[in-house]
Amino acid sequence: MSYITSGQTHQIEMMYGGHPHHESFQEMLQTFGQLVESKVLPAEKKTEMERAQDSLKSLAFQLRQSGKYDQQALETAIAQTKKNEKIPDAVYRQITDFGLPGMAFSEPLGGLEIPYPVFMACLETLGKASPSVGVRYAISNTVAEGLRFNYEAGQLSGYGESILRELIAGEKLGGFALTEGSAAGSNILKEMITRAVPLQNGNGYRITGAKMFITNVETADVFAVFARTSEPAGNDLGISLFLVEKGTKGFKVGQVFEKRTVENSSLGELILDEVEVSQEHLVGEAGCGAPYAMRMLNSGRITIAALATGLAQRAFDEYMAVAVEGKKLGDQHLIELDRTQARVAEMSMEILAARDMTCHAAWLKTLFDTNPDDRELLRDYVIASNGAKLKASLAAQQACDHLVKIWGASAVIKENPAMKHFLDSWLYYFGEAVPEVLENTIAHMEVKKYKKAKGL
Ligand SMILES: Cc1cc2nc3c(=O)[nH]c(=O)nc-3n(C[C@H](O)[C@H](O)[C@H](O)COP(=O)(O)OP(=O)(O)OC[C@H]3O[C@@H](n4cnc5c(N)ncnc54)[C@H](O)[C@@H]3O)c2cc1C
């Protein structure tokens, strides 16, 4: 059985069946599925087992028993354990060499020009094997998307374009720095504290503030940093977007969190202590950071939806294995019980819906990219991308929850991956907006559509 599901294959067939490159899209998806199955999945499983076995504790115990306990031996052991718990660099290199970071970007920009829905199918596969690896590339893609639409609007500096090309080529990894610790993430555009003030020489800005819960915090080379450049006035939130590279004076990584979700991805704090950047680091127009953030999130939410669909599918596959082949109640496998069948049907439908909505949103994104002034299309696109993220994140939570429950007590043992899947599903619940915010956005757009249709 391939790591690509028949649902993904059918979807590409449905979308691109008559397309001259249909066969190559399918082949590429299968090849990527093999790469993920042979490299990413075992790497993620290995790191998980290392954590489950907690080799450090047993090593410290052995050292004490043998009387050889000393600080240096322990530190060496800690370093080795941490190394074992990480996805090897070679795995990331193989994904990058495959072209994933540039898959959906145009050839003139150095990309492969593969349709966005096919890229989403690849991300779903990655999300099925490893949410940590998936989110690393999804976030970097969101940064590149933000630069791309400014580039196409003729608003990106030469420096911005060079960063965009490096992100597409996989030579650099991006981070998206919007959230701050001082305010609810859901209200960050209104309550942002990070400030950027123009330099006296008129050629740049000085940025001061801190960003929190930033994915790729240790691994990214360049961050899309949102900062306030003026006080909010009406619809103008006074926010601008900057590119800040690791290593810039005053820029440092603060806390890096040990966390219970997506453990192979780094999450933490960025500190911006009077970071000076030249005018070239400003992305697009000053004061337009809020709409840029929304546009980046519109595409980012589709990538989160794809990853979440992958996790839902993984949990579902593992659920089926327990239900059909696992433990029995008397002489009956659990799948023979009505309640189990109802859950299987529910998960199956939810995953199908999540995948369809993700694909639909990806298709609308492509349409909107070529018609960025079409307000009606924008409303449909926003509804679809927010809806896909909402549907897929809830489908993932539901499938993971059912998986934990069907395992029974075995689910609480560390070596059992069910609880890890459930914890990973919270990335998709919180990341890039909680359900309430997505619901508000969808309702807001539906009201706009209604009023437009009624001439109100
Ligand atoms: C693993 C992970 C990775 C992340 N990576 C990044 C990143 O790379 N870059 C970045 O900038 N941020 C990142 N984030 C932060 C993420 O964007 C925020 O978690 C998200 O915006 C929600 O903000 P919050 O966590 O502060 O929750 P809050 O906004 O405080 O929401 C908490 C709760 O308040 C309630 N609530 C909120 N809004 C409403 C509403 N409108 N109506 C009713 N109830 C509401 C809901 O119950 C909600 O669950 C990441 C988060 C996680 C968990």
Side-chain angles (χ1 to χ4, degrees), residues 139 176-179 183-186 212-215 261-262 267 426-427 429-434 436-437 440:
I139 289 286
F176 180 78
L178 176 65
T179 308
S186 305
M212 190 54 105
F213 303 124
I214 306 307
T215 297
T261 177
V262 285
L267 185 81
W426 289 95
L427 160 68
Y429 185 92
F430 291 121
E432 303 207 6
V434 294
E436 290 86 347
V437 170
N440 290 348

PDB file of all heavy atoms in Angstrom, residues 139 176-179 183-186 212-215 261-262 267 426-427 429-434 436-437 440, ligand 1:
ATOM      1  N   ILE A 139       5.232  26.893   7.178  1.00  0.00           N
ATOM      2  CA  ILE A 139       5.482  28.261   7.659  1.00  0.00           C
ATOM      3  C   ILE A 139       6.422  29.000   6.708  1.00  0.00           C
ATOM      4  O   ILE A 139       6.211  30.169   6.365  1.00  0.00           O
ATOM      5  CB  ILE A 139       6.072  28.221   9.094  1.00  0.00           C
ATOM      6  CG1 ILE A 139       5.000  27.774  10.094  1.00  0.00           C
ATOM      7  CG2 ILE A 139       6.663  29.560   9.478  1.00  0.00           C
ATOM      8  CD1 ILE A 139       3.938  28.805  10.423  1.00  0.00           C
ATOM      9  N   PHE A 176       7.626  33.070  10.569  1.00  0.00           N
ATOM     10  CA  PHE A 176       6.533  34.055  10.488  1.00  0.00           C
ATOM     11  C   PHE A 176       6.326  34.617  11.893  1.00  0.00           C
ATOM     12  O   PHE A 176       5.860  33.900  12.779  1.00  0.00           O
ATOM     13  CB  PHE A 176       5.289  33.318   9.977  1.00  0.00           C
ATOM     14  CG  PHE A 176       4.048  34.152   9.829  1.00  0.00           C
ATOM     15  CD1 PHE A 176       3.881  34.998   8.743  1.00  0.00           C
ATOM     16  CD2 PHE A 176       3.027  34.063  10.763  1.00  0.00           C
ATOM     17  CE1 PHE A 176       2.722  35.750   8.595  1.00  0.00           C
ATOM     18  CE2 PHE A 176       1.862  34.809  10.627  1.00  0.00           C
ATOM     19  CZ  PHE A 176       1.712  35.658   9.537  1.00  0.00           C
ATOM     20  N   ALA A 177       6.702  35.890  12.100  1.00  0.00           N
ATOM     21  CA  ALA A 177       6.713  36.428  13.465  1.00  0.00           C
ATOM     22  C   ALA A 177       5.625  37.477  13.646  1.00  0.00           C
ATOM     23  O   ALA A 177       5.852  38.676  13.452  1.00  0.00           O
ATOM     24  CB  ALA A 177       8.093  37.004  13.764  1.00  0.00           C
ATOM     25  N   LEU A 178       4.448  37.006  14.035  1.00  0.00           N
ATOM     26  CA  LEU A 178       3.295  37.883  14.246  1.00  0.00           C
ATOM     27  C   LEU A 178       2.907  37.924  15.734  1.00  0.00           C
ATOM     28  O   LEU A 178       2.796  38.996  16.331  1.00  0.00           O
ATOM     29  CB  LEU A 178       2.115  37.373  13.403  1.00  0.00           C
ATOM     30  CG  LEU A 178       0.779  38.103  13.551  1.00  0.00           C
ATOM     31  CD1 LEU A 178       0.887  39.543  13.048  1.00  0.00           C
ATOM     32  CD2 LEU A 178      -0.328  37.386  12.772  1.00  0.00           C
ATOM     33  N   THR A 179       2.732  36.749  16.335  1.00  0.00           N
ATOM     34  CA  THR A 179       2.208  36.658  17.709  1.00  0.00           C
ATOM     35  C   THR A 179       3.179  37.279  18.725  1.00  0.00           C
ATOM     36  O   THR A 179       4.392  37.210  18.545  1.00  0.00           O
ATOM     37  CB  THR A 179       1.971  35.167  18.052  1.00  0.00           C
ATOM     38  OG1 THR A 179       1.172  34.595  17.019  1.00  0.00           O
ATOM     39  CG2 THR A 179       1.263  35.004  19.380  1.00  0.00           C
ATOM     40  N   ALA A 183      -0.270  39.844  24.338  1.00  0.00           N
ATOM     41  CA  ALA A 183      -1.686  39.957  23.944  1.00  0.00           C
ATOM     42  C   ALA A 183      -2.182  38.614  23.434  1.00  0.00           C
ATOM     43  O   ALA A 183      -1.389  37.773  23.009  1.00  0.00           O
ATOM     44  CB  ALA A 183      -1.831  40.998  22.836  1.00  0.00           C
ATOM     45  N   ALA A 184      -3.511  38.442  23.471  1.00  0.00           N
ATOM     46  CA  ALA A 184      -4.084  37.230  22.889  1.00  0.00           C
ATOM     47  C   ALA A 184      -3.710  37.187  21.408  1.00  0.00           C
ATOM     48  O   ALA A 184      -3.800  38.204  20.712  1.00  0.00           O
ATOM     49  CB  ALA A 184      -5.596  37.251  23.048  1.00  0.00           C
ATOM     50  N   GLY A 185      -3.282  36.014  20.953  1.00  0.00           N
ATOM     51  CA  GLY A 185      -2.896  35.888  19.548  1.00  0.00           C
ATOM     52  C   GLY A 185      -4.021  36.310  18.619  1.00  0.00           C
ATOM     53  O   GLY A 185      -3.792  36.909  17.562  1.00  0.00           O
ATOM     54  N   SER A 186      -5.263  36.045  19.050  1.00  0.00           N
ATOM     55  CA  SER A 186      -6.416  36.353  18.199  1.00  0.00           C
ATOM     56  C   SER A 186      -6.602  37.849  17.978  1.00  0.00           C
ATOM     57  O   SER A 186      -7.284  38.249  17.050  1.00  0.00           O
ATOM     58  CB  SER A 186      -7.688  35.779  18.829  1.00  0.00           C
ATOM     59  OG  SER A 186      -7.525  34.411  19.073  1.00  0.00           O
ATOM     60  N   MET A 212       6.389  35.904  20.160  1.00  0.00           N
ATOM     61  CA  MET A 212       6.231  34.684  20.970  1.00  0.00           C
ATOM     62  C   MET A 212       5.579  33.565  20.154  1.00  0.00           C
ATOM     63  O   MET A 212       4.804  33.851  19.245  1.00  0.00           O
ATOM     64  CB  MET A 212       5.361  35.046  22.178  1.00  0.00           C
ATOM     65  CG  MET A 212       5.281  33.998  23.243  1.00  0.00           C
ATOM     66  SD  MET A 212       6.892  33.473  23.802  1.00  0.00           S
ATOM     67  CE  MET A 212       6.992  34.264  25.363  1.00  0.00           C
ATOM     68  N   PHE A 213       5.894  32.336  20.514  1.00  0.00           N
ATOM     69  CA  PHE A 213       5.345  31.135  19.850  1.00  0.00           C
ATOM     70  C   PHE A 213       5.684  31.129  18.360  1.00  0.00           C
ATOM     71  O   PHE A 213       4.795  30.963  17.516  1.00  0.00           O
ATOM     72  CB  PHE A 213       3.825  31.033  20.057  1.00  0.00           C
ATOM     73  CG  PHE A 213       3.409  31.010  21.490  1.00  0.00           C
ATOM     74  CD1 PHE A 213       2.509  31.928  21.995  1.00  0.00           C
ATOM     75  CD2 PHE A 213       3.944  30.059  22.352  1.00  0.00           C
ATOM     76  CE1 PHE A 213       2.141  31.912  23.331  1.00  0.00           C
ATOM     77  CE2 PHE A 213       3.589  30.039  23.695  1.00  0.00           C
ATOM     78  CZ  PHE A 213       2.681  30.969  24.188  1.00  0.00           C
ATOM     79  N   ILE A 214       6.943  31.350  18.074  1.00  0.00           N
ATOM     80  CA  ILE A 214       7.353  31.417  16.670  1.00  0.00           C
ATOM     81  C   ILE A 214       7.943  30.074  16.237  1.00  0.00           C
ATOM     82  O   ILE A 214       8.952  29.616  16.787  1.00  0.00           O
ATOM     83  CB  ILE A 214       8.369  32.574  16.453  1.00  0.00           C
ATOM     84  CG1 ILE A 214       7.776  33.899  16.977  1.00  0.00           C
ATOM     85  CG2 ILE A 214       8.763  32.685  14.980  1.00  0.00           C
ATOM     86  CD1 ILE A 214       6.400  34.261  16.425  1.00  0.00           C
ATOM     87  N   THR A 215       7.288  29.453  15.254  1.00  0.00           N
ATOM     88  CA  THR A 215       7.766  28.183  14.694  1.00  0.00           C
ATOM     89  C   THR A 215       9.047  28.437  13.899  1.00  0.00           C
ATOM     90  O   THR A 215       9.200  29.498  13.298  1.00  0.00           O
ATOM     91  CB  THR A 215       6.670  27.595  13.776  1.00  0.00           C
ATOM     92  OG1 THR A 215       5.529  27.319  14.582  1.00  0.00           O
ATOM     93  CG2 THR A 215       7.113  26.305  13.097  1.00  0.00           C
ATOM     94  N   THR A 261       3.664  19.129  21.921  1.00  0.00           N
ATOM     95  CA  THR A 261       3.106  18.973  20.570  1.00  0.00           C
ATOM     96  C   THR A 261       4.212  19.242  19.551  1.00  0.00           C
ATOM     97  O   THR A 261       5.151  19.978  19.859  1.00  0.00           O
ATOM     98  CB  THR A 261       1.898  19.937  20.404  1.00  0.00           C
ATOM     99  OG1 THR A 261       1.400  19.830  19.083  1.00  0.00           O
ATOM    100  CG2 THR A 261       2.252  21.388  20.634  1.00  0.00           C
ATOM    101  N   VAL A 262       4.126  18.618  18.394  1.00  0.00           N
ATOM    102  CA  VAL A 262       5.134  18.759  17.327  1.00  0.00           C
ATOM    103  C   VAL A 262       6.551  18.935  17.884  1.00  0.00           C
ATOM    104  O   VAL A 262       7.199  19.949  17.680  1.00  0.00           O
ATOM    105  CB  VAL A 262       4.778  19.890  16.327  1.00  0.00           C
ATOM    106  CG1 VAL A 262       3.677  19.470  15.406  1.00  0.00           C
ATOM    107  CG2 VAL A 262       4.410  21.191  17.012  1.00  0.00           C
ATOM    108  N   LEU A 267       9.989  25.922  18.640  1.00  0.00           N
ATOM    109  CA  LEU A 267       9.000  26.968  18.924  1.00  0.00           C
ATOM    110  C   LEU A 267       9.553  27.852  20.034  1.00  0.00           C
ATOM    111  O   LEU A 267      10.047  27.352  21.033  1.00  0.00           O
ATOM    112  CB  LEU A 267       7.696  26.326  19.402  1.00  0.00           C
ATOM    113  CG  LEU A 267       6.524  27.280  19.632  1.00  0.00           C
ATOM    114  CD1 LEU A 267       5.838  27.613  18.319  1.00  0.00           C
ATOM    115  CD2 LEU A 267       5.503  26.668  20.586  1.00  0.00           C
ATOM    116  N   TRP A 426      -3.250  19.664  18.404  1.00  0.00           N
ATOM    117  CA  TRP A 426      -3.470  21.010  18.970  1.00  0.00           C
ATOM    118  C   TRP A 426      -2.715  22.089  18.208  1.00  0.00           C
ATOM    119  O   TRP A 426      -3.089  23.264  18.247  1.00  0.00           O
ATOM    120  CB  TRP A 426      -3.103  21.035  20.466  1.00  0.00           C
ATOM    121  CG  TRP A 426      -4.128  20.264  21.225  1.00  0.00           C
ATOM    122  CD1 TRP A 426      -4.057  18.950  21.588  1.00  0.00           C
ATOM    123  CD2 TRP A 426      -5.419  20.730  21.645  1.00  0.00           C
ATOM    124  NE1 TRP A 426      -5.224  18.580  22.213  1.00  0.00           N
ATOM    125  CE2 TRP A 426      -6.062  19.647  22.268  1.00  0.00           C
ATOM    126  CE3 TRP A 426      -6.080  21.955  21.563  1.00  0.00           C
ATOM    127  CZ2 TRP A 426      -7.352  19.752  22.794  1.00  0.00           C
ATOM    128  CZ3 TRP A 426      -7.356  22.052  22.104  1.00  0.00           C
ATOM    129  CH2 TRP A 426      -7.966  20.963  22.705  1.00  0.00           C
ATOM    130  N   LEU A 427      -1.645  21.682  17.538  1.00  0.00           N
ATOM    131  CA  LEU A 427      -0.967  22.667  16.669  1.00  0.00           C
ATOM    132  C   LEU A 427      -1.967  23.224  15.672  1.00  0.00           C
ATOM    133  O   LEU A 427      -2.044  24.431  15.429  1.00  0.00           O
ATOM    134  CB  LEU A 427       0.201  21.998  15.924  1.00  0.00           C
ATOM    135  CG  LEU A 427       0.688  22.722  14.662  1.00  0.00           C
ATOM    136  CD1 LEU A 427       1.350  24.059  14.996  1.00  0.00           C
ATOM    137  CD2 LEU A 427       1.669  21.856  13.878  1.00  0.00           C
ATOM    138  N   TYR A 429      -5.202  23.175  15.868  1.00  0.00           N
ATOM    139  CA  TYR A 429      -6.329  23.861  16.515  1.00  0.00           C
ATOM    140  C   TYR A 429      -5.971  25.321  16.782  1.00  0.00           C
ATOM    141  O   TYR A 429      -6.723  26.235  16.444  1.00  0.00           O
ATOM    142  CB  TYR A 429      -6.672  23.144  17.836  1.00  0.00           C
ATOM    143  CG  TYR A 429      -7.892  23.682  18.539  1.00  0.00           C
ATOM    144  CD1 TYR A 429      -9.150  23.135  18.310  1.00  0.00           C
ATOM    145  CD2 TYR A 429      -7.790  24.753  19.431  1.00  0.00           C
ATOM    146  CE1 TYR A 429     -10.277  23.630  18.960  1.00  0.00           C
ATOM    147  CE2 TYR A 429      -8.914  25.252  20.079  1.00  0.00           C
ATOM    148  CZ  TYR A 429     -10.152  24.690  19.834  1.00  0.00           C
ATOM    149  OH  TYR A 429     -11.263  25.184  20.465  1.00  0.00           O
ATOM    150  N   PHE A 430      -4.776  25.542  17.370  1.00  0.00           N
ATOM    151  CA  PHE A 430      -4.383  26.912  17.738  1.00  0.00           C
ATOM    152  C   PHE A 430      -3.686  27.655  16.604  1.00  0.00           C
ATOM    153  O   PHE A 430      -3.889  28.856  16.430  1.00  0.00           O
ATOM    154  CB  PHE A 430      -3.430  26.894  18.946  1.00  0.00           C
ATOM    155  CG  PHE A 430      -4.092  26.470  20.228  1.00  0.00           C
ATOM    156  CD1 PHE A 430      -3.629  25.368  20.936  1.00  0.00           C
ATOM    157  CD2 PHE A 430      -5.165  27.170  20.727  1.00  0.00           C
ATOM    158  CE1 PHE A 430      -4.235  24.978  22.120  1.00  0.00           C
ATOM    159  CE2 PHE A 430      -5.787  26.792  21.918  1.00  0.00           C
ATOM    160  CZ  PHE A 430      -5.314  25.689  22.603  1.00  0.00           C
ATOM    161  N   GLY A 431      -2.788  26.956  15.909  1.00  0.00           N
ATOM    162  CA  GLY A 431      -1.923  27.620  14.929  1.00  0.00           C
ATOM    163  C   GLY A 431      -2.719  28.333  13.842  1.00  0.00           C
ATOM    164  O   GLY A 431      -3.684  27.795  13.312  1.00  0.00           O
ATOM    165  N   GLU A 432      -2.340  29.579  13.570  1.00  0.00           N
ATOM    166  CA  GLU A 432      -2.959  30.398  12.514  1.00  0.00           C
ATOM    167  C   GLU A 432      -4.463  30.605  12.746  1.00  0.00           C
ATOM    168  O   GLU A 432      -5.232  30.613  11.791  1.00  0.00           O
ATOM    169  CB  GLU A 432      -2.665  29.826  11.127  1.00  0.00           C
ATOM    170  CG  GLU A 432      -1.157  29.728  10.903  1.00  0.00           C
ATOM    171  CD  GLU A 432      -0.737  29.806   9.457  1.00  0.00           C
ATOM    172  OE1 GLU A 432      -1.579  30.046   8.583  1.00  0.00           O
ATOM    173  OE2 GLU A 432       0.468  29.636   9.211  1.00  0.00           O
ATOM    174  N   ALA A 433      -4.837  30.735  13.985  1.00  0.00           N
ATOM    175  CA  ALA A 433      -6.183  31.139  14.440  1.00  0.00           C
ATOM    176  C   ALA A 433      -7.014  30.004  15.015  1.00  0.00           C
ATOM    177  O   ALA A 433      -7.066  28.898  14.454  1.00  0.00           O
ATOM    178  CB  ALA A 433      -6.989  31.846  13.361  1.00  0.00           C
ATOM    179  N   VAL A 434      -7.651  30.332  16.149  1.00  0.00           N
ATOM    180  CA  VAL A 434      -8.531  29.371  16.849  1.00  0.00           C
ATOM    181  C   VAL A 434      -9.882  29.314  16.113  1.00  0.00           C
ATOM    182  O   VAL A 434     -10.217  30.222  15.339  1.00  0.00           O
ATOM    183  CB  VAL A 434      -8.724  29.782  18.329  1.00  0.00           C
ATOM    184  CG1 VAL A 434      -7.411  29.674  19.089  1.00  0.00           C
ATOM    185  CG2 VAL A 434      -9.301  31.187  18.468  1.00  0.00           C
ATOM    186  N   GLU A 436     -12.913  29.972  16.838  1.00  0.00           N
ATOM    187  CA  GLU A 436     -13.839  31.111  16.967  1.00  0.00           C
ATOM    188  C   GLU A 436     -13.481  32.225  15.977  1.00  0.00           C
ATOM    189  O   GLU A 436     -14.369  32.865  15.398  1.00  0.00           O
ATOM    190  CB  GLU A 436     -13.817  31.679  18.396  1.00  0.00           C
ATOM    191  CG  GLU A 436     -14.446  30.776  19.440  1.00  0.00           C
ATOM    192  CD  GLU A 436     -13.489  29.738  20.021  1.00  0.00           C
ATOM    193  OE1 GLU A 436     -12.389  29.537  19.444  1.00  0.00           O
ATOM    194  OE2 GLU A 436     -13.834  29.116  21.036  1.00  0.00           O
ATOM    195  N   VAL A 437     -12.189  32.457  15.810  1.00  0.00           N
ATOM    196  CA  VAL A 437     -11.745  33.520  14.888  1.00  0.00           C
ATOM    197  C   VAL A 437     -12.088  33.131  13.446  1.00  0.00           C
ATOM    198  O   VAL A 437     -12.538  33.961  12.644  1.00  0.00           O
ATOM    199  CB  VAL A 437     -10.223  33.769  15.057  1.00  0.00           C
ATOM    200  CG1 VAL A 437      -9.682  34.669  13.962  1.00  0.00           C
ATOM    201  CG2 VAL A 437      -9.951  34.363  16.440  1.00  0.00           C
ATOM    202  N   ASN A 440     -15.782  33.634  13.009  1.00  0.00           N
ATOM    203  CA  ASN A 440     -16.105  35.065  12.865  1.00  0.00           C
ATOM    204  C   ASN A 440     -15.792  35.544  11.444  1.00  0.00           C
ATOM    205  O   ASN A 440     -16.561  36.294  10.841  1.00  0.00           O
ATOM    206  CB  ASN A 440     -15.279  35.917  13.840  1.00  0.00           C
ATOM    207  CG  ASN A 440     -15.709  35.727  15.280  1.00  0.00           C
ATOM    208  OD1 ASN A 440     -16.749  35.135  15.554  1.00  0.00           O
ATOM    209  ND2 ASN A 440     -14.904  36.198  16.211  1.00  0.00           N
TER     210      ASN A 440
HETATM  211  C1  LIG B   1       2.538  24.968  17.909  1.00  0.00           C
HETATM  212  C2  LIG B   1       2.247  26.420  17.619  1.00  0.00           C
HETATM  213  C3  LIG B   1       2.970  27.076  16.625  1.00  0.00           C
HETATM  214  C4  LIG B   1       2.767  28.443  16.401  1.00  0.00           C
HETATM  215  N1  LIG B   1       3.533  29.086  15.443  1.00  0.00           N
HETATM  216  C5  LIG B   1       3.385  30.432  15.266  1.00  0.00           C
HETATM  217  C6  LIG B   1       4.233  31.148  14.330  1.00  0.00           C
HETATM  218  O1  LIG B   1       5.086  30.564  13.652  1.00  0.00           O
HETATM  219  N2  LIG B   1       4.091  32.480  14.226  1.00  0.00           N
HETATM  220  C7  LIG B   1       3.164  33.188  14.946  1.00  0.00           C
HETATM  221  O2  LIG B   1       3.091  34.408  14.795  1.00  0.00           O
HETATM  222  N3  LIG B   1       2.343  32.534  15.839  1.00  0.00           N
HETATM  223  C8  LIG B   1       2.433  31.190  16.015  1.00  0.00           C
HETATM  224  N4  LIG B   1       1.636  30.521  16.913  1.00  0.00           N
HETATM  225  C9  LIG B   1       0.668  31.290  17.700  1.00  0.00           C
HETATM  226  C10 LIG B   1      -0.747  31.131  17.131  1.00  0.00           C
HETATM  227  O3  LIG B   1      -0.897  31.886  15.981  1.00  0.00           O
HETATM  228  C11 LIG B   1      -1.710  31.536  18.260  1.00  0.00           C
HETATM  229  O4  LIG B   1      -1.694  30.476  19.184  1.00  0.00           O
HETATM  230  C12 LIG B   1      -3.122  31.799  17.746  1.00  0.00           C
HETATM  231  O5  LIG B   1      -3.190  32.995  17.031  1.00  0.00           O
HETATM  232  C13 LIG B   1      -4.112  31.880  18.928  1.00  0.00           C
HETATM  233  O6  LIG B   1      -3.680  32.828  19.852  1.00  0.00           O
HETATM  234  P1  LIG B   1      -3.531  32.431  21.407  1.00  0.00           P
HETATM  235  O7  LIG B   1      -2.809  31.134  21.492  1.00  0.00           O
HETATM  236  O8  LIG B   1      -2.946  33.596  22.097  1.00  0.00           O
HETATM  237  O9  LIG B   1      -5.001  32.168  21.884  1.00  0.00           O
HETATM  238  P2  LIG B   1      -6.106  33.263  22.224  1.00  0.00           P
HETATM  239  O10 LIG B   1      -6.270  34.223  21.121  1.00  0.00           O
HETATM  240  O11 LIG B   1      -5.779  33.813  23.585  1.00  0.00           O
HETATM  241  O12 LIG B   1      -7.380  32.351  22.328  1.00  0.00           O
HETATM  242  C14 LIG B   1      -7.564  31.478  23.456  1.00  0.00           C
HETATM  243  C15 LIG B   1      -9.031  31.119  23.541  1.00  0.00           C
HETATM  244  O13 LIG B   1      -9.807  32.305  23.697  1.00  0.00           O
HETATM  245  C16 LIG B   1     -11.073  32.116  23.067  1.00  0.00           C
HETATM  246  N5  LIG B   1     -11.246  33.077  21.970  1.00  0.00           N
HETATM  247  C17 LIG B   1     -10.287  33.724  21.246  1.00  0.00           C
HETATM  248  N6  LIG B   1     -10.847  34.510  20.311  1.00  0.00           N
HETATM  249  C18 LIG B   1     -12.189  34.376  20.447  1.00  0.00           C
HETATM  250  C19 LIG B   1     -13.317  34.928  19.769  1.00  0.00           C
HETATM  251  N7  LIG B   1     -13.176  35.815  18.758  1.00  0.00           N
HETATM  252  N8  LIG B   1     -14.555  34.547  20.178  1.00  0.00           N
HETATM  253  C20 LIG B   1     -14.724  33.694  21.198  1.00  0.00           C
HETATM  254  N9  LIG B   1     -13.696  33.128  21.869  1.00  0.00           N
HETATM  255  C21 LIG B   1     -12.444  33.462  21.505  1.00  0.00           C
HETATM  256  C22 LIG B   1     -11.082  30.689  22.526  1.00  0.00           C
HETATM  257  O14 LIG B   1     -11.568  29.821  23.505  1.00  0.00           O
HETATM  258  C23 LIG B   1      -9.604  30.425  22.322  1.00  0.00           C
HETATM  259  O15 LIG B   1      -9.281  29.053  22.249  1.00  0.00           O
HETATM  260  C24 LIG B   1       1.794  29.152  17.148  1.00  0.00           C
HETATM  261  C25 LIG B   1       1.035  28.481  18.116  1.00  0.00           C
HETATM  262  C26 LIG B   1       1.257  27.129  18.358  1.00  0.00           C
HETATM  263  C27 LIG B   1       0.438  26.438  19.404  1.00  0.00           C
END
